[in-house]
Amino acid sequence: MATTKHLCGARTVKTPNPCFALSTLRCQLWRRQCLDFAVSVGSVSKLCRTVEGSCRGRVLRVSCLGRKVEVIERSERKDKERVDNEITCVMKFGGSSLASAERMRDVAELILSFPEERPVIVLSAMGKTTNKLLLAGEKAVSCGVSNVTEINETVKELDIESSVISGHLEELEQLLKGIAMMKELTLRTKDYLVSFGECLSTRIFAAYLNKIGAKARQYDAFDIGFITTDDFTNADILEATYPAVAKRLHLDWISDPAIPIVTGFLGKGWKTCAVTTLGRGGSDLTATTIGKALGLREIQVWKDVDGVLTCDPNIHPSAKPVPYLTYDEAAELAYFGAQVLHPQSMRPARESDIPVRVKNSYNPKAPGTLITRARDMSEAELTSIVLKRNVTMLDIVSTRMLGQFGFLAKVFSTFEELGISVDVVATSEVSISLTLDPSKLWSRELIQQASELDHVVEELEKIAVVNLLQRRSIISLIGNVERSSLILEKVLLLPAFE
Ligand SMILES: Nc1ncnc2c1ncn2[C@@H]1O[C@H](COP(=O)(O)OP(=O)(O)O)[C@@H](O)[C@H]1O
Ligand SMILES: N[C@@H](CC(=O)OP(=O)(O)O)C(=O)O
């Protein structure tokens, strides 16, 4: 049974007429950041009856009786209680699912095969478009402009008006000419350049859905409220994104329902207002952010594998799907190198407790992996093995005597001052070995990286002997921490380690 409780402060609003009551209520809801719900209340204000809708994961009911407006929060969310026609889930399709015109058709068919769902669709760039755009940018710097013609082929094959993307293709050509002229490709320009991948794929897909009679509307994430830091190529999503995205998608949905097709990976820097990207694979994060913003029932990420696997299938082809994971396990897995999910993508899902399902767009019948807050760990030992390559490692040995205090504090304050993120740490009293987060280092220019590393070593050499080791790897075992001794025992007894 769902329990009900009054929303404190907005319980009863006595006003001269119901419309006035509703506008007062709307103000209160706006102040509480219940933006999407405030909008839906606005749209039914003329009916002045009872309306129920979800807002940031909460189900709210508003009853209007004459001059009284009552707001009730239903604390238990139940599917059957959801308002008819509400958006139900987000479905994200990555480049691996959208490699060709034929794949676009399959994905459209897949989406329409779930008539009970009313999804928001998040798309990455088609196939390897992001890499190709980066390559085109680098070529433009060194030897002039190259052609990006494959997209035109897709448009032809799907029988879509070329005008859908012609403006963007012209803009892309101009940009490449600009890069060739300047002989410079900054991080900011790189983000603008790769954004064409998602801007084009979403426009093509929305046009195709509309052509086959499924009403769809294309959105650029940077235009609907995805506000980020200005860290080009590795931006973080800011809190203001949630209410803004919820408001925009909800408003459009209730006034003129159409399947929203949103660009993954992209945002808008809050200071520069320039296009930013969320780090490679960032469309997963776009999907979970939309899930949290709209308080959806489920977030689905559709890949080219049967879910999260026990290891990278490119390393071990007989890797098996893992049926259940917790948000924490999935985040660790992603952070320590499993390419299948973006490292930050679990955060919005965990914060709003929305299940994430990893599915295979090439094999939709496979159950995939369900990621939730908790799972039955009674049988769990080792869940997955992950490899992270290209790691920089530092061995730092104190030059001071044993028993002197403050050594570790000095080491970590050096990293803090230089703004460098530390990954894995092993310590003894006079020595410390640590690895540096490659994603944070990759986001900077190579020259800058090298000089930053030199600077770290220089600073640390004031208190220690430092050995810098590059191109190392970390192998992580993701499993039940309560059984870590057992797992380590098994690992260390493997023949390869004998
Ligand atoms: N532990 C793992 N489980 C599943 N896939 C993995 C794992 N480690 C690496 N991968 C690779 O990740 C790929 C899927 O991720 P990705 O290419 O980012 O998909 P998409 O482009 O659809 O977002 C798989 O094709 C697989 O090769
Ligand atoms: N297109 C971007 C963003 C992304 O999320 O891609 P994918 O979903 O294909 O990993 C990239 O290649 O990084």
Side-chain angles (χ1 to χ4, degrees):
M1 279 290 290
T3 52
T4 60
K5 98 171 173 238
H6 283 97
L7 199 75
C8 87
R11 235 181 266 168
T12 308
V13 190
K14 283 192 184 164
T15 57
N17 67 60
C19 285
F20 185 72
L22 275 160
S23 65
T24 312
L25 170 66
R26 274 206 303 279
C27 288
Q28 292 184 352
L29 290 169
W30 276 82
R31 250 186 270 126
R32 273 158 222 280
Q33 293 200 313
C34 300
L35 297 186
D36 53 342
F37 194 70
V39 170
S40 78
V41 170
S43 73
V44 295
S45 63
K46 287 191 193 83
L47 299 176
C48 294
R49 297 273 186 276
T50 297
V51 57
E52 191 171 286
S54 82
C55 169
R56 296 163 71 89
R58 297 143 71 196
V59 176
L60 300 178
R61 171 177 291 169
V62 179
S63 306
C64 307
L65 288 166
R67 290 172 187 177
K68 281 187 182 174
V69 176
E70 192 179 46
V71 183
I72 289 168
E73 180 179 353
R74 297 174 74 81
S75 58
E76 202 176 304
R77 199 170 40 169
K78 289 205 166 168
D79 289 347
K80 62 178 164 35
E81 289 175 342
R82 295 181 74 87
V83 175
D84 278 351
N85 265 337
E86 205 180 318
I87 294 172
T88 55
C89 69
V90 55
M91 292 179 168
K92 178 257 165 172
F93 295 90
S96 62
S97 299
L98 296 167
S100 61
E102 194 191 339
R103 285 301 302 158
M104 282 233 173
R105 277 193 214 103
D106 292 347
V107 167
E109 204 175 294
L110 195 155
I111 293 167
L112 300 176
S113 72
F114 294 99
E116 72 286 4
E117 298 287 10
R118 285 172 297 282
V120 176
I121 308 297
V122 172
L123 299 186
S124 302
M126 291 179 71
K128 304 265 178 231
T129 307
T130 307
N131 288 350
K132 286 181 189 162
L133 285 168
L134 285 171
L135 205 67
E138 272 148 30
K139 264 194 190 164
V141 172
S142 55
C143 53
V145 179
S146 61
N147 250 338
V148 192
T149 50
E150 276 167 51
I151 304 268
N152 277 327
E153 294 304 311
T154 309
V155 168
K156 264 188 222 152
E157 277 180 52
L158 292 174
D159 196 17
I160 292 166
E161 292 287 325
S162 58
S163 59
V164 166
I165 56 158
S166 52
H168 276 76
L169 287 180
E170 273 166 33
E171 201 179 322
L172 174 59
E173 215 176 293
Q174 294 290 335
L175 176 62
L176 288 170
K177 278 185 190 157
I179 295 169
M181 247 185 255
M182 300 298 291
K183 299 223 174 301
E184 184 185 50
L185 184 57
T186 61
L187 296 185
R188 181 174 172 151
T189 310
K190 255 186 195 171
D191 274 358
Y192 178 37
L193 176 63
V194 294
S195 73
F196 282 88
E198 274 70 13
C199 289
L200 290 166
S201 67
T202 47
R203 279 171 173 79
I204 294 171
F205 193 69
Y208 178 67
L209 282 182
N210 282 314
K211 197 197 96 176
I212 61 171
K215 198 169 164 193
R217 190 182 293 123
Q218 189 275 348
Y219 293 94
D220 290 323
F222 48 79
D223 271 348
I224 61 165
F226 272 83
I227 319 287
T228 70
T229 58
D230 290 285
D231 300 312
F232 295 107
T233 72
N234 207 3
D236 283 329
I237 288 181
L238 299 179
E239 274 305 302
T241 297
Y242 298 104
V245 168
K247 183 183 162 198
R248 176 64 191 276
L249 291 179
H250 195 84
L251 241 177
D252 285 1
W253 177 261
I254 56 176
S255 63
D256 181 19
I259 304 172
I261 314 291
V262 184
T263 55
F265 185 46
L266 311 178
K268 186 194 231 174
W270 75 284
K271 281 191 204 150
T272 57
C273 292
V275 176
T276 56
T277 62
L278 309 176
R280 294 306 303 266
S283 306
D284 296 336
L285 178 57
T286 308
T288 53
T289 302
I290 291 178
K292 177 181 165 184
L294 292 174
L296 300 179
R297 186 173 48 73
E298 188 170 272
I299 297 159
Q300 300 174 1
V301 283
W302 292 80
K303 305 271 169 182
D304 62 349
V305 279
D306 283 348
V308 177
L309 307 178
T310 46
C311 70
D312 184 343
N314 302 304
I315 296 176
H316 204 294
S318 56
K320 296 197 170 40
V322 178
Y324 301 101
L325 280 176
T326 63
Y327 297 127
D328 291 342
E329 286 174 312
E332 283 221 321
L333 223 127
Y335 186 76
F336 283 106
Q339 267 218 325
V340 64
L341 290 168
H342 182 277
Q344 302 296 329
S345 60
M346 286 303 115
R347 192 149 40 101
R350 189 208 280 120
E351 284 165 2
S352 50
D353 207 3
I354 300 174
V356 178
R357 213 178 272 279
V358 183
K359 295 272 292 174
N360 189 349
S361 67
Y362 292 78
N363 181 20
K365 290 214 167 87
T369 300
L370 182 63
I371 307 170
T372 49
R373 181 172 297 280
R375 69 182 181 105
D376 177 11
M377 297 296 277
S378 58
E379 301 288 313
E381 278 182 22
L382 184 61
T383 308
S384 191
I385 304 176
V386 188
L387 175 70
K388 191 170 186 170
R389 293 176 208 269
N390 205 10
V391 170
T392 301
M393 189 174 157
L394 285 171
D395 277 334
I396 307 160
V397 183
S398 170
T399 44
R400 294 167 171 219
M401 302 293 288
L402 205 77
Q404 285 230 334
F405 54 84
F407 170 63
L408 291 184
K410 283 211 174 79
V411 169
F412 284 105
S413 61
T414 305
F415 286 107
E416 194 191 351
E417 276 159 28
L418 299 174
I420 291 182
S421 172
V422 172
D423 225 350
V424 178
V425 183
T427 57
S428 76
E429 194 175 351
V430 289
S431 77
I432 176 164
S433 294
L434 46 82
T435 62
L436 305 181
D437 181 353
S439 69
K440 293 290 173 202
L441 281 177
W442 287 337
S443 69
R444 302 172 193 177
E445 297 282 9
L446 272 175
I447 302 259
Q448 201 182 328
Q449 268 186 41
S451 67
E452 265 179 282
L453 280 176
D454 287 347
H455 193 42
V456 177
V457 173
E458 220 172 86
E459 281 300 303
L460 291 171
E461 275 177 343
K462 291 178 186 164
I463 51 163
V465 176
V466 184
N467 196 7
L468 176 72
L469 304 157
Q470 285 183 290
R471 300 192 185 286
R472 304 287 142 153
S473 296
I474 302 174
I475 297 174
S476 307
L477 308 175
I478 312 292
N480 186 348
V481 276
E482 286 179 13
R483 303 220 167 100
S484 48
S485 306
L486 183 75
I487 296 170
L488 278 178
E489 187 190 322
K490 285 190 185 174
V491 170
L492 296 173
L493 285 177
L494 279 176
F497 288 88
E498 275 173 1

